[in-house]
């Protein structure tokens, strides 16, 4: 062995000849497997074979079978067109080989069959790696566009899609590994190692959809909630009860739906899929237009923004894609060009429009840059970026210790003691931490004075911007130790909701946060007041939407755990859309303690102490000991002093026990106030009346009813009458009986033959159809004509021969 004694070497070079000379029992063999670069070689014990792959259309996958008691290898080749295979994996339970192809497909091979058993379609870029999760019968695939898909192998469908969490850069190669014991998936890039932990499945939860929910929004005009899942299923729910009213399936055929939004009038629904197609629907599920976002090529449309006379789509490139109203007049619509040049250096992920003048349009990129546009002239106004500010400090303040509860980077961390020399390398390692995921304009605030733009994204940061000057007004970490967050703001712009990939949603009060009176020279780093935290979901939050009903604000949350929840601002769960029991959102009613005006008395009148409602008396001496600092509240007689400044009593109430019990106006009626009572009452009213049994007018029954004595046992109440006498019948005469030696009258006669039993004789006209009989008749006529012609020709020949013979005889006689 070479370099064996050098301690600094991390690898050893071993020669085949050294093994052959040192180990006499060692046997090695070689065989021709591929004609191109071999990308992966793996020994599979269950198959007793070596499997290898190469990036070539022919001999893409090769299986070398070892023949027992022989030094030969039996080779099996499998071909994959358009580029070959980058990698493969084998599942011992399903006995299937999955291949990562250059043609964006994933093939499922049976090792003993040359053709694939299944093909998984969904990636729009080259597939780099595949890994099986044998315990779940699922497959993880990773493509060159930094996209992970999780497939159900038996159903051959994609059940989850993960994007925008991986660093971008010129990585030469990536490696993937899945650990079955810890259920963790590792991806190694050039400078970064990422860890993803597979969460255990929860079987006792309510599922609104059968797949991951990508978006759920409230339509105020219809008073309904519209939710869309990745598999292209759209549901419409009633907000007040959670009942599903409409269902639309296969919105984009076999492609995955990525996002959804309404138009300005709330009468059209816009959906976008991974094939780059945007469809415009009405509320009845009719598709009116199809918009090609990427000129017919597959792309991930991250957001759709419906403006006045325009539709904007972003998410897959550095430029803005726009569709103008004068172009949307046919079934298939092509995009128009944005007037200004590209301002972003990375892909645009989100956008938002200011509803008030000057009608600014904000777009956020993957690198953290925010560009403010004039939506009328379509030219840039200024750039907002927190990336430069972070780079000036040389490190991200929020990049502290990480946990494995989220999809996050485990790359090299830069501490204060370790200076960052290579800034460009630091950017590449933490590029995903700057991505802007959501932008929202605060339209109720004064432009030019207050912070009117809110952004959120990488590492859980939320930032407030003053757009006119480009100043960063405030920033805080809404969710610590997470990769990214999303957000939404209510219509009155009093509350901010943020959600992370762990399923946690936080409600913040921003009514007076970062306004002109609180703005300072330095950036505000203090968090706004936190109202509540909502943990209604167990997976990534994909959509947050505020809605208002009966002057009460609710939060609609859609998650990757296939459910949509309705919550209030206090963090209470109203219900899950799709659950068995429905809820009821009612307007707030008056308190049950309110009494009619006739029971109100003057403020100086003391309440009557004689009424006892079963409430135990409180020992005021113990209260006085606990609250010895508030002596002025309790007097020497143990009564509460009404003259204290701590109490502001406008009126006192005199309760009468009898009036309180008999007063029906303050009672709670369950038949009209509860959902169960209303439904039960409705069922009872619609039920037909049951007929009661009529009175029995029978003498014996009347005696039984009066005396209480049973007249005749168990069946005594039945009516019993005597039967009439039966007359004796005459005996039958002897002619009706058969003698012993008489012939059997009922004996069957000999069966007739088939010809005798037939009523009519079968002929050709009844057995064959008419066109066959006509054809046969024509063939007979033709045959007859031919035979006549042949017979005539034969007669002519015979006559000629006779004449020739006669002439020859006459010549002989003359001679």
């Amino acid at each position: 062995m070479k370099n064996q004694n050098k301690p600094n070497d991390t690898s050893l070079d071993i020669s085949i000849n050294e093994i052959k000379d040192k180990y006499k029992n060692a046997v090695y063999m070689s065989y021709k497997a591929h004609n191109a670069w071999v990308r992966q070689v793996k020994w599979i014990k269950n198959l007793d074979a070596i499997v290898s792959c190469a990036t070539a259309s022919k001999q893409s996958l090769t299986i070398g079978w070892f023949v027992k008691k022989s030094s030969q290898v039996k080779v099996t080749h499998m071909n994959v067109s358009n580029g070959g295979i980058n990698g493969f994996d084998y599942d011992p339970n399903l006995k299937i080989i999955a291949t990562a192809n250059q043609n964006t497909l994933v093939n499922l091979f049976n090792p003993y069959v040359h053709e694939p058993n299944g093909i998984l379609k969904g990636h729009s870029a080259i597939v780099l790696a595949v890994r099986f999760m044998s315990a779940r019968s699922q497959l993880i695939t990773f493509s060159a566009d930094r996209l992970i898909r999780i497939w159900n192998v038996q159903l051959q469908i994609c059940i989850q899609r993960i994007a925008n969490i991986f660093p971008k850069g010129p990585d030469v190669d990536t490696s993937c590994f899945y650990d079955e014991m810890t259920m963790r998936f590792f991806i190694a890039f050039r400078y970064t190692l990422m860890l993803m932990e597979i969460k255990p499945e929860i079987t006792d939860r309510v599922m609104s959809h059968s797949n991951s929910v990508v978006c759920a929004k409230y339509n105020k005009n219809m008073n309904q909630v519209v939710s869309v899942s990745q598999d292209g299923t759209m549901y419409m729910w009633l907000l007040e009860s959670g009942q599903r009213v409409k269902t639309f399936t296969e919105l984009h055929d076999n492609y995955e739906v990525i996002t959804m939004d309404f138009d300005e009038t709330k009468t059209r629904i816009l959906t976008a899929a991974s094939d780059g197609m945007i469809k415009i629907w009405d509320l009845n599920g009719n598709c009116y237009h199809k918009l090609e976002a990427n000129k017919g090529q597959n792309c991930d449309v991250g957001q759709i923004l419906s403006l006045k006379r325009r539709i904007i789509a972003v998410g897959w490139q550095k430029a803005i894609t726009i569709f103008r109203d004068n172009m949307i007049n046919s079934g298939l619509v092509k995009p128009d060009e944005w007037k200004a040049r590209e301002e972003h250096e990375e892909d645009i992920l989100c956008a938002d429009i200011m509803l008030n003048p000057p009608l600014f349009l904000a777009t956020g990129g993957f690198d953290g840059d925010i560009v403010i546009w004039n939506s009328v002239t379509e030219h840039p106004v200024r750039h907002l970026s927190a990336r430069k500010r972070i780079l000036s400090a040389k490190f991200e303040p929020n990049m502290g210790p990480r946990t494995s509860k989220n999809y996050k980077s485990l790359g090299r961390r830069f501490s204060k003691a370790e200076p960052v020399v290579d800034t460009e390398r630091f950017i590449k390692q933490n590029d995903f931490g700057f991505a802007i995921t959501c932008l929202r304009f605060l339209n109720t605030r004064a432009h030019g004075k207050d912070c009117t733009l809110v952004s959120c994204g990488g590492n859980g940061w939320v930032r407030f911007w003053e757009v006119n000057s480009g100043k960063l007004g405030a920033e805080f970490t809404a969710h610590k130790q997470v990769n990214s967050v999303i957000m939404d703001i209510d219509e009155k712009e009093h509350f901010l909701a943020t959600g992370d990939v762990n399923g946690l949603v936080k409600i913040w009060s921003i009514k007076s946060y970062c306004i002109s009176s609180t703005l300072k020279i330095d950036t505000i780093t203090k968090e706004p007041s936190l109202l509540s935290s909502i943990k209604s979901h167990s997976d990534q939050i994909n959509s947050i939407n505020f809605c208002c009903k009966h002057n009460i604000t609710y939060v609609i949350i859609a998650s990757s755990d296939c459910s949509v929840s309705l919550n209030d601002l206090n963090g209470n769960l109203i219900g899950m859309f799709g659950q068995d029991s429905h809820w009821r959102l009612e307007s707030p009613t008056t308190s049950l303690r309110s009494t009619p005006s006739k029971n109100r008395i003057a403020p100086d009148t003391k309440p009557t102490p004689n009424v006892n409602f079963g409430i135990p008396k409180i020992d005021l001496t113990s209260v006085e000991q606990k609250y010895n600092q508030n002596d002025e509240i309790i007097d020497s007689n143990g009564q509460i002093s009404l003259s204290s400044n701590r109490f502001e009593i406008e009126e006192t109430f005199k309760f009468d026990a009898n009036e309180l019990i008999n007063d029906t106006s303050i009672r709670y009626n369950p038949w009209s106030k509860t959902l169960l009572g209303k439904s039960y009452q409705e069922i009872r009213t619609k039920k037909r009346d049951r007929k009661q049994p009529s009175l029995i007018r029978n003498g014996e029954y009347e005696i039984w009813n009066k005396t209480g004595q049973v007249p005749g046992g168990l069946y005594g109440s039945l009516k019993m009458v005597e039967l009439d006498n039966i007359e004796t019948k005459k005996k039958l005469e002897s002619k009706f009986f058969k003698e012993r030696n008489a012939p059997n009258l009922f004996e069957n006669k000999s069966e007739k033959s088939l010809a005798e039993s037939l009523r009519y004789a079968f002929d050709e006209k009844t057995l064959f159809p008419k066109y066959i009989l006509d054809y046969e008749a024509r063939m007979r006529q033709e045959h007859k004509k031919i035979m006549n012609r042949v017979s005539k020709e034969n007669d002519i020949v015979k006559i000629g021969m006779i004449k020739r013979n006669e002439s020859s005889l006459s010549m002989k006689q003359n001679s």
Side-chain angles (χ1 to χ4, degrees):
M1 299 182 182
K2 298 180 181 181
N3 303 332
Q4 185 175 4
N5 298 326
K6 294 182 180 181
N8 296 330
D9 291 342
T10 58
S11 62
L12 297 176
D13 297 333
I14 303 174
S15 176
I16 294 293
N17 296 328
E18 294 179 2
I19 297 177
K20 184 179 179 181
D21 296 339
K22 188 174 181 179
Y23 302 97
K24 302 299 181 181
N25 296 330
V27 178
Y28 71 94
M29 61 190 69
S30 62
Y31 61 93
K32 182 68 174 177
H34 303 278
N35 295 325
W37 180 23
V38 179
R39 298 299 300 269
Q40 184 181 351
V41 180
K42 185 177 182 180
W43 160 259
I44 299 179
K45 182 179 179 181
N46 296 29
L47 299 178
D48 195 17
I50 294 178
V51 183
S52 59
C53 67
T55 51
S57 300
K58 294 184 178 181
Q59 300 180 2
S60 304
L61 184 68
T62 301
I63 304 177
W65 308 90
F66 284 92
V67 182
K68 295 183 178 181
K69 298 180 182 181
S70 176
S71 60
Q72 297 180 355
V73 178
K74 183 181 178 182
V75 180
T76 302
H77 297 291
M78 301 176 185
N79 302 329
V80 175
S81 59
N82 299 329
I85 300 174
N86 290 320
F88 64 89
D89 195 18
Y90 177 75
D91 188 358
N93 297 332
L94 300 176
K95 297 180 181 180
I96 290 178
I97 299 176
T99 62
N101 302 345
Q102 290 271 354
N103 57 6
T104 72
L105 302 178
V106 178
N107 290 353
L108 303 177
F109 283 99
N110 186 333
Y112 305 98
V113 182
H114 292 274
E115 297 297 329
N117 290 352
I119 299 176
L120 306 180
K121 300 180 181 180
H123 285 284
S124 58
I126 298 173
V127 185
L128 300 178
V130 291
R131 289 296 180 269
F132 274 106
M133 293 188 290
S134 299
R136 297 189 172 194
S137 298
Q138 295 176 357
L139 179 67
I140 304 175
T141 60
F142 181 70
S143 59
D145 56 352
R146 302 297 192 271
L147 182 67
I148 281 183
R149 290 182 181 271
I150 301 178
W151 308 80
N152 187 319
V153 180
Q154 296 180 347
L155 301 178
Q156 297 184 11
I157 59 174
C158 180
I159 59 177
Q160 191 172 2
R161 175 182 175 274
I162 304 172
N164 297 330
I165 65 171
F166 305 104
K168 291 187 177 182
D171 294 318
V172 179
D173 192 12
T174 56
S175 300
C176 300
F177 174 74
Y178 177 73
D179 187 11
E180 288 281 355
M181 297 296 295
T182 60
M183 299 178 64
R184 292 178 178 177
F185 182 62
F186 298 86
I187 305 178
F189 298 95
R190 186 175 182 180
Y191 296 112
T192 310
L193 176 64
M194 299 193 68
L195 168 64
M196 298 174 58
E197 184 177 9
I198 309 299
K199 296 182 180 180
E201 295 183 355
I202 302 175
T203 57
D204 57 346
R205 57 183 171 87
V206 178
M207 296 177 61
S208 307
H209 288 256
S210 60
N211 211 311
S212 176
V213 185
V214 297
C215 189
K217 291 192 174 184
Y218 173 65
N219 191 329
K220 188 176 181 180
N221 297 343
M222 300 294 294
N223 194 25
Q224 295 178 357
V225 177
V226 181
S227 62
V228 180
S229 60
Q230 278 188 352
D231 58 355
T233 303
M234 180 189 297
Y235 292 149
M236 293 186 180
W237 317 81
L238 292 179
L239 177 66
E240 294 185 346
S241 62
Q243 181 182 359
R244 189 171 68 188
V245 293
K246 290 183 181 180
T247 302
F248 308 109
T249 58
E250 298 181 357
L251 298 181
H252 289 262
D253 298 332
N254 296 327
Y255 293 96
E256 295 181 359
V257 177
I258 301 176
T259 185
M260 181 269 293
D261 199 1
F262 295 108
D263 65 344
E264 290 182 334
T265 61
K266 303 294 183 180
T267 58
R268 295 289 185 268
I269 302 175
L270 290 79
T271 60
S274 59
D275 60 345
M277 190 70 68
I278 301 174
K279 294 185 179 182
I280 302 178
W281 310 80
D282 63 0
L283 299 179
N284 293 323
N286 301 317
C287 181
Y288 287 91
H289 305 284
K290 296 181 181 179
L291 315 180
E292 287 188 352
N294 198 22
K295 300 179 181 180
Q297 298 180 1
N298 294 349
C299 66
D300 294 338
V301 180
Q303 184 180 353
I304 311 170
L305 191 61
S306 179
L307 308 179
K308 191 175 182 180
R309 297 185 298 273
R310 287 169 296 177
I311 295 176
I312 288 177
V314 295
W316 71 97
Q317 61 181 359
K318 304 175 185 178
I320 300 175
T321 301
I322 183 171
F323 300 90
R324 308 185 192 277
D325 277 0
N326 55 3
M327 302 174 58
I328 305 177
N329 50 15
S330 61
L332 187 62
V333 182
K334 302 289 184 180
D336 197 5
E337 293 184 358
W338 188 257
K339 293 180 181 179
R341 61 181 178 86
E342 296 180 0
E343 291 291 331
H344 286 274
E345 297 179 359
E346 293 290 343
D347 294 345
I348 303 174
L349 300 182
C350 58
D352 195 28
I353 185 72
M354 180 184 289
L355 300 181
N356 301 326
L359 301 177
F360 283 153
L361 173 68
T363 56
F366 188 85
D367 55 355
D369 289 334
I370 301 174
V371 180
I372 306 299
W373 306 79
N374 188 327
S375 61
V376 179
T377 62
E378 299 181 1
H379 283 81
V381 177
R382 64 177 47 87
H383 284 249
L384 307 176
S385 179
R387 178 175 179 172
K388 299 176 182 179
R389 182 176 178 274
I390 295 173
L391 291 180
S392 63
K394 298 299 183 182
F395 64 92
E396 172 74 39
N398 190 33
M399 294 188 63
R402 307 297 180 100
T403 62
S404 60
K405 295 183 74 175
N406 187 17
Y407 315 138
K408 48 196 167 292
S409 171
L410 296 180
R412 181 184 178 187
R413 300 188 183 97
F414 295 90
S415 61
K416 294 182 180 180
E418 181 183 359
V420 181
V421 180
D422 191 357
T423 306
E424 193 68 25
R425 180 180 176 184
F426 172 78
I427 295 173
K428 291 181 180 179
Q429 291 184 14
N430 303 279
D431 198 14
F432 62 93
F434 302 107
I436 305 297
T437 57
C438 285
L439 289 172
R440 290 292 183 273
F441 274 106
L442 301 176
N443 299 292
T444 59
R445 297 192 177 188
H447 177 67
K449 297 181 180 180
D450 303 337
C451 289
T452 55
L453 179 64
V454 185
S455 66
C456 72
N459 293 330
W461 283 95
V462 177
R463 294 181 173 91
F464 285 73
W465 303 86
E466 203 285 298
V467 179
N468 194 27
S469 62
K471 178 187 175 183
L472 178 61
E475 64 176 356
F476 65 94
T477 306
H479 298 256
K480 297 181 180 180
Q481 299 180 359
V482 296
N483 188 34
S484 64
V485 295
I486 63 172
M487 69 174 182
D488 191 36
I489 300 175
D490 66 322
E491 291 183 354
K492 299 180 181 179
E493 298 176 354
H494 293 173
F495 308 105
L496 167 70
T498 58
D500 59 18
V501 293
N502 292 329
L504 178 63
V505 176
K506 294 183 179 180
I507 309 297
W508 311 84
S509 177
I510 60 170
K511 182 179 180 180
S512 59
Y513 184 75
C514 204
I515 58 178
S516 58
S517 60
T518 59
L519 287 178
K520 301 178 181 179
I521 300 175
D522 298 332
T523 302
I524 301 174
T525 57
K526 183 181 178 181
E527 299 178 355
S529 58
L530 179 63
L531 298 181
S532 62
S533 296
I534 303 174
K535 195 66 173 69
S536 303
H537 300 274
S538 59
D539 208 339
Q540 176 179 344
I541 303 299
N542 295 327
S543 173
I544 304 175
N545 189 234
F546 281 97
C547 64
C548 185
K549 190 67 178 177
H550 303 305
N551 295 325
I552 302 177
T553 304
Y554 300 95
V555 186
I556 302 170
I557 306 172
S559 172
S560 294
D561 61 359
C562 309
S563 61
V564 181
S565 65
L566 180 65
N567 307 265
D568 60 8
L569 295 181
N570 297 324
N572 301 319
L573 176 63
I574 305 299
M576 290 282 186
F577 289 93
Q579 65 184 23
D580 295 335
S581 59
H582 297 160
W583 60 82
R584 183 176 180 83
L585 301 181
E586 294 183 352
S587 59
T589 57
T590 57
S591 175
L592 294 178
R593 292 188 177 184
S594 61
T595 58
S597 59
K598 64 181 182 180
N599 293 333
R600 298 183 180 181
I601 58 178
D604 55 349
T605 305
K606 294 183 180 180
T608 57
N610 298 328
V611 180
N612 185 10
F613 294 98
I615 303 175
K617 295 183 179 180
I618 302 174
D619 187 7
L620 296 180
T621 57
S622 61
V623 177
E624 185 177 2
Q625 293 176 0
K626 292 182 181 180
Y627 301 97
N628 53 7
Q629 298 178 356
N630 302 328
D631 299 333
E632 69 276 9
I633 300 178
I634 303 175
D635 58 8
S636 60
N637 297 327
Q639 301 293 331
I640 298 177
S641 177
L642 301 180
S643 62
S644 174
N645 295 329
R646 295 174 180 263
F647 298 90
E648 295 180 359
I649 302 179
E650 297 180 356
E651 297 174 325
T652 58
F653 305 102
K654 181 180 178 181
F655 293 99
D656 189 357
N658 296 326
E659 290 185 4
L660 183 65
I661 295 173
N662 299 326
D663 189 3
T664 59
S665 61
I666 61 175
R667 288 187 183 180
Y668 186 79
N669 187 3
W671 297 104
S672 61
K673 297 296 184 181
T674 62
L675 184 63
L676 179 61
K678 287 184 177 181
S679 61
Y680 185 75
Q681 189 178 21
E682 184 179 357
I683 294 174
R684 294 293 299 175
T685 54
K686 290 183 178 181
K687 191 173 181 180
R688 64 179 180 84
D689 296 334
R690 181 187 300 175
K691 293 183 178 181
Q692 299 296 332
S694 58
L695 296 177
I696 302 176
R697 302 297 181 182
N698 187 280
E700 296 181 356
Y701 181 79
E702 291 178 356
I703 295 173
W704 180 13
N705 190 20
K706 292 179 181 179
T707 61
Q709 297 179 359
V710 181
L714 182 62
Y715 304 101
S717 61
L718 297 178
K719 184 178 181 180
M720 304 292 292
V721 295
E722 294 183 359
L723 299 177
D724 298 335
N725 294 328
I726 301 175
E727 299 179 357
T728 57
K729 302 295 182 180
K730 297 181 180 181
K731 293 184 179 181
L732 296 176
E733 299 179 2
S734 59
K735 64 179 181 179
F736 295 101
F737 296 94
K738 184 185 78 169
E739 298 181 3
R740 180 171 297 179
N741 296 327
N744 190 1
L745 299 176
F746 300 97
E747 185 177 0
N748 294 332
K749 298 181 180 181
S750 60
E751 295 183 356
K752 297 182 180 180
S753 62
L754 181 61
E756 295 177 355
S757 62
L758 289 177
R759 189 171 182 180
Y760 300 101
F762 288 96
D763 54 358
E764 293 181 352
K765 293 183 180 180
T766 58
L767 290 178
F768 299 100
K770 183 180 179 181
Y771 71 92
I772 295 179
L773 298 176
D774 295 342
Y775 180 77
E776 186 180 3
R778 289 197 302 268
M779 291 298 295
R780 289 178 179 175
Q781 293 178 0
E782 293 293 333
H783 180 70
K784 187 175 181 180
K785 291 180 181 179
I786 294 172
M787 294 303 296
N788 293 335
R789 192 186 318 119
V790 172
S791 60
K792 290 180 180 179
E793 292 177 354
N794 293 335
D795 295 340
I796 294 172
V797 172
K798 290 179 180 180
I799 293 172
M801 292 179 63
I802 293 172
K803 290 183 178 180
R804 193 181 301 112
N805 293 333
E806 291 178 355
S807 60
S808 60
L809 291 175
S810 61
M811 290 175 63
K812 289 181 180 180
Q813 292 177 1
N814 295 329
S815 60

